Amino acid sequence: MPDKQIQPPRPPVTKANKIGNIIVMMLILLFVFSAIFYYTQSGEEPQELSYSEFMQYLRDNKIDTINSSPISGDINREAVSLEGTFIVVNEGDPGYPFNRSGQRYYLDVPLVFLDTIVNLADQSDNVASYQHARGATYSFWNILFILLPIILIIVFISFFMRSSGGNNRAFDFGKSRAKMNRSKTTTFKNVAGVDEEKEELSEIIDFLKDPKKYMNLGARIPKGVLLVGPPGTGKTLLARAVAGEAEVPFYSISGSDFVEMFVGVGASRVRDMFKTAKQTTPCIIFIDEIDAVGRQRGTGLGGGHDEREQTLNQLLVEMDGFGPNSGIIVMAATNRADVLDPALLRPGRFDRQITINRPDVKGRQEILKVHARNKKIHNSVTFEEIARRTPGFTGADLENLLNEAALLAARENKSSIRLYHIDEAVDRVMMGPAKKSRVFSKRERDFIAHHEAGHAVLGIKLDNANIVHKVTIIPRGQAGGYNLMLPEEEESFLMTRKALIDQITGLLGGRVAEEIVFNEVSTGAHNDFQRATEIARAMVTEYGMSSLGPIQYEKRSGSVFLGRDYASEKAFSDTVALEIDNEVRKIINESYDKAKKTLTENLDLLKRIAEILLEVETLTREDIIEITETGTLEWWEKKKAKKAEKLEAKPTEA
């Protein structure tokens, strides 16, 4: 069942509605035809006469009809309005003001002259009729043209309101924007790589199915569950799966839907959301990106944000205020839990926080199986191998990876997705598409090949350095070359000082190789220096792996939260800052010397890898190991031999 807005449903189009539409159209056509008829019959504009002209026409027996009526607005009734028509004459008769039949006239005369006009009209045989009204006179057409526009406006408004089903957003500005979903399309079968998180949420599902079991024991189920994790880790998907497993209504809304320009609208929407949810208990309310409305109060620079703070206050009251909300469980997701208001995180509101991290190798393998259900994967492809090549990928990244691989396979008109499609998709997701049209000079290609070969050699020779699983000199994104460096172990949560030094050494291998071979350096090591410096500074300021001792001088924080982090001061003096810089420089120099020594001892291997890389452009980990052990590549040698045979055979055939 698709999502629907929590508002009165739009009424279906029935036979009565069609009849109403026909009636409205008939009224509009009646008004149009009446106007055409009225103005057609009215002829030309009436001729305004003076009193003397009128009396002269009356004495000459040229007046046909006379209608007198009080002048509108004349309080003292001292004058009357005369209007009528001239006698019917033949075209071309002289002596008449207009040579047309029934030409109209009008004039205003003092009331004292009315008796004289009446006497003359009675004596004249040509005056067909004379009428005098004591009040204002209105003809049928006058009344029609006064009332009909009013009736049409009322009918049109009624028709518009009925056709919109009463769903006018102007009248429900403070209503909740939450969408309800009762379907069971998403369950735990659609979520992989979060086994521990699913176990934490299983008791909430059990409570929604059988709340009496917990109430009899006096247990209080958590009122709120906060899902915290990086973007793309499946927080929203997990919340939908909980609702699907519990088979209860699921209300979903974004935190930004509460915040409006007008103060008080957000709080009104919160009240309406919980009021609607109470009617369908037990149920789940899911607020995505709750940090948009749940940020810490009183942290604005130069003032607060009244609308957001009032909305947050109302949310706090609804979750654990004066009125209980039994049967309603609030779930929320955010990747900035550090900026949330402390009152929102206290027990009784969001009792439980579940952190969803990036999946490990086993988790990535399970996620790939879920996303590969509707895709045709070749039998030679193993998900375990793909999982090893994608460290740090989230569930959304892996879904995008398989989609890119499917697009590549479809582009080649293949019947299934093969391993090289997935390998190319990994490169596309991480670095962008290959730019084969970019032209490099021979010297630039030599620099890039030896740079990447330096990383490869150090990855092989150092015990704790990241292994180069793939190296290529095909440019991608802003990089002239690209190497995929992964740790030897599948996943590591603890790093020793020696392992970190070896990682920094491996990152510096590209610059060192350029210096050894060409006695010159290039700008290709820009990103390597950035990553190496980050590791070295963290060793000094966070991990206590330097002569400054086990002291944490800095702490890692995400984006700066204005009002809290803007005015924060550093916790060390300028002297200590100088010592930190010296220690970072010492670690970098130590790793640089180690890389230089290792590459100098393996200079022949470095040049050999660079030479083959210039020919084949891309090497895998297996290729690098084969070159290290045998000094060549078997498949590359066979390819060279076939090419040479073809070149030798051409002159013979001629």
Side-chain angles (χ1 to χ4, degrees):
M1 179 178 180
D3 293 349
K4 60 180 181 180
Q5 195 77 15
I6 306 304
Q7 291 172 348
R10 186 184 298 273
V13 179
T14 61
K15 185 177 181 180
N17 292 339
K18 293 181 179 180
I19 295 175
N21 297 343
I22 295 174
I23 293 174
V24 171
M25 295 302 298
M26 290 179 64
L27 288 174
I28 294 175
L29 291 175
L30 176 62
F31 177 76
V32 172
F33 286 128
S34 299
I36 294 173
F37 176 78
Y38 178 79
Y39 287 109
T40 302
Q41 295 297 320
S42 63
E44 298 182 3
E45 291 292 328
Q47 175 69 18
E48 183 178 6
L49 301 177
S50 64
Y51 175 70
S52 60
E53 290 176 336
F54 172 76
M55 294 301 293
Q56 183 64 39
Y57 289 137
L58 184 60
R59 293 188 185 98
D60 293 342
N61 297 321
K62 297 180 180 179
I63 300 299
D64 184 22
T65 61
I66 303 173
N67 298 316
S68 65
S69 61
I71 298 177
S72 177
D74 186 2
I75 300 176
N76 299 322
R77 306 296 184 189
E78 296 179 353
V80 294
S81 176
L82 297 181
E83 58 182 19
T85 58
F86 295 100
I87 63 172
V88 179
V89 298
N90 296 323
E91 295 288 342
D93 290 349
Y96 292 94
F98 298 96
N99 293 328
R100 292 187 180 180
S101 301
Q103 174 63 38
R104 294 182 296 123
Y105 67 86
Y106 72 95
L107 72 156
D108 297 335
V109 299
L111 186 62
V112 296
F113 297 150
L114 185 60
D115 292 339
T116 304
I117 296 172
V118 171
N119 293 331
L120 286 175
D122 292 339
Q123 297 174 6
S124 176
D125 295 333
N126 292 326
V127 177
S129 64
Y130 170 79
Q131 294 180 355
H132 176 68
R134 296 183 179 275
T137 58
Y138 296 97
S139 65
F140 169 77
W141 296 109
N142 291 334
I143 297 174
L144 179 65
F145 278 94
I146 291 174
L147 296 179
L148 194 58
I150 299 174
I151 296 173
L152 285 176
I153 291 174
I154 296 174
V155 171
F156 179 75
I157 293 176
S158 303
F159 171 73
F160 176 76
M161 293 296 295
R162 184 178 61 182
S163 62
S164 62
N167 193 22
N168 195 347
R169 302 298 288 271
F171 297 98
D172 59 359
F173 195 64
K175 297 294 184 180
S176 171
R177 302 293 177 87
K179 297 178 180 179
M180 184 179 69
N181 185 9
R182 291 181 178 271
S183 62
K184 193 183 175 182
T185 56
T186 305
T187 62
F188 279 165
K189 294 181 180 180
N190 303 106
V191 185
V194 285
D195 296 336
E196 294 79 7
E197 290 79 0
K198 289 193 289 188
E199 185 177 350
E200 285 289 314
L201 294 170
S202 59
E203 65 183 25
I204 294 178
I205 299 171
D206 191 26
F207 168 77
L208 292 171
K209 289 183 176 180
D210 187 14
K212 292 183 179 179
K213 180 175 70 174
Y214 293 87
M215 293 179 180
N216 292 336
L217 295 174
R220 179 181 61 83
I221 202 68
K223 294 184 178 180
V225 179
L226 183 64
L227 304 177
V228 183
T233 50
K235 301 183 291 293
T236 304
L237 182 65
L238 189 60
R240 288 186 177 274
V242 172
E245 290 288 339
E247 299 182 4
V248 296
F250 179 77
Y251 296 87
S252 61
I253 191 172
S254 174
S256 60
D257 288 336
F258 294 111
V259 183
E260 290 285 351
M261 179 178 65
F262 305 104
V263 177
V265 174
S268 175
R269 290 178 178 175
V270 171
R271 287 191 296 269
D272 185 70
M273 179 178 66
F274 278 89
K275 178 182 177 181
T276 306
K278 289 177 184 178
Q279 300 173 1
T280 57
T281 56
C283 62
I284 294 175
I285 295 177
F286 176 65
I287 306 175
D288 198 9
E289 304 297 342
I290 194 174
D291 53 278
V293 70
R295 293 188 176 221
Q296 295 181 15
R297 291 166 289 182
T299 54
L301 294 178
H305 193 296
D306 290 339
E307 163 64 1
R308 188 175 64 226
E309 292 184 4
Q310 287 194 21
T311 306
L312 175 59
N313 292 339
Q314 187 63 44
L315 182 62
L316 296 176
V317 171
E318 292 291 344
M319 289 189 67
D320 188 21
F322 299 104
N325 284 321
S326 58
I328 300 177
I329 294 179
V330 181
M331 300 184 68
T334 181
N335 52 10
R336 292 295 309 275
D338 57 309
V339 305
L340 295 180
D341 194 275
L344 198 62
L345 302 178
R346 75 160 176 82
R349 292 194 175 116
F350 282 107
D351 306 82
R352 183 171 297 178
Q353 295 187 31
I354 299 178
T355 302
I356 304 177
N357 294 314
R358 299 177 185 272
D360 55 10
V361 173
K362 182 180 178 182
R364 292 195 298 272
Q365 186 175 346
E366 296 299 324
I367 293 173
L368 287 169
K369 291 179 180 179
V370 171
H371 292 304
R373 288 174 183 172
N374 62 339
K375 295 179 173 61
K376 296 182 180 180
I377 309 294
H378 196 266
N379 297 331
S380 61
V381 178
T382 60
F383 295 116
E384 182 180 359
E385 185 176 1
I386 302 173
R388 287 201 310 267
R389 296 189 181 190
T390 53
F393 276 46
T394 63
D397 294 331
L398 294 173
E399 192 276 335
N400 186 37
L401 169 66
L402 289 182
N403 184 64
E404 287 288 340
L407 292 175
L408 291 172
R411 189 181 301 175
E412 297 179 2
N413 296 322
K414 299 294 184 181
S415 59
S416 61
I417 302 173
R418 298 180 179 271
L419 182 60
Y420 71 89
H421 294 137
I422 297 176
D423 189 52
E424 174 65 20
V426 172
D427 295 341
R428 281 174 170 266
V429 172
M430 296 182 67
M431 298 293 295
K435 297 186 176 181
K436 298 181 179 180
S437 60
R438 184 180 297 177
V439 179
F440 289 105
S441 64
K442 183 179 182 302
R443 180 173 175 79
E444 286 176 332
R445 283 173 55 84
D446 288 342
F447 262 90
I448 295 172
H450 285 84
H451 180 104
E452 305 301 340
H455 291 302
V457 171
L458 291 179
I460 292 293
K461 296 300 180 180
L462 297 180
D463 295 335
N464 299 291
N466 287 342
I467 303 299
V468 176
H469 281 248
K470 182 179 181 180
V471 58
T472 178
I473 59 173
I474 299 175
R476 290 181 181 272
Q478 299 297 323
Y482 160 62
N483 61 83
L484 178 61
M485 303 175 67
L486 303 177
E488 179 69 24
E489 301 293 333
E490 292 183 353
E491 237 87 32
S492 57
F493 299 96
L494 294 177
M495 298 289 292
T496 63
R497 186 181 189 277
K498 183 178 179 182
L500 292 174
I501 291 293
D502 284 351
Q503 281 194 12
I504 297 174
T505 304
L507 290 170
L508 298 176
R511 167 57 67 87
V512 174
E514 295 175 4
E515 183 178 348
I516 292 175
V517 176
F518 301 102
N519 197 24
E520 183 64 272
V521 294
S522 69
T523 59
H526 166 75
N527 184 253
D528 297 333
F529 290 160
Q530 179 182 355
R531 294 163 60 190
T533 305
E534 288 177 357
I535 297 174
R537 190 167 189 86
M539 291 174 62
V540 177
T541 60
E542 298 180 37
Y543 307 144
M545 296 180 178
S546 68
S547 60
L548 297 181
I551 302 175
Q552 187 180 51
Y553 295 100
E554 296 176 354
K555 61 180 180 179
R556 293 194 178 186
S557 60
S559 302
V560 175
F561 186 45
L562 296 180
R564 185 192 65 188
D565 302 331
Y566 183 76
S568 62
E569 298 180 356
K570 60 181 182 180
F572 48 85
S573 63
D574 293 338
T575 303
V576 175
L578 177 61
E579 293 180 0
I580 291 174
D581 293 339
N582 291 334
E583 287 294 323
V584 173
R585 187 180 299 110
K586 180 180 177 182
I587 292 174
I588 295 295
N589 291 336
E590 176 186 343
S591 302
Y592 195 88
D593 294 338
K594 186 175 182 180
K596 194 170 185 178
K597 179 181 178 182
T598 304
L599 290 180
T600 303
E601 294 174 353
N602 298 275
L603 185 59
D604 293 338
L605 178 60
L606 171 68
K607 292 183 177 181
R608 185 58 175 166
I609 293 177
E611 178 187 355
I612 298 176
L613 190 59
L614 285 170
E615 293 289 335
V616 300
E617 293 187 335
T618 300
L619 293 175
T620 63
R621 177 185 179 182
E622 293 74 14
D623 295 335
I624 296 173
I625 294 175
E626 183 179 353
I627 295 172
T628 304
E629 295 176 351
T630 63
T632 186
L633 280 177
E634 183 179 356
W635 65 267
W636 178 56
E637 293 292 346
K638 292 181 179 179
K639 187 176 180 180
K640 286 174 58 179
K642 290 182 179 179
K643 187 176 180 180
E645 291 177 359
K646 290 182 179 179
L647 292 175
E648 292 177 358
K650 283 184 179 180
T652 306
E653 293 175 357

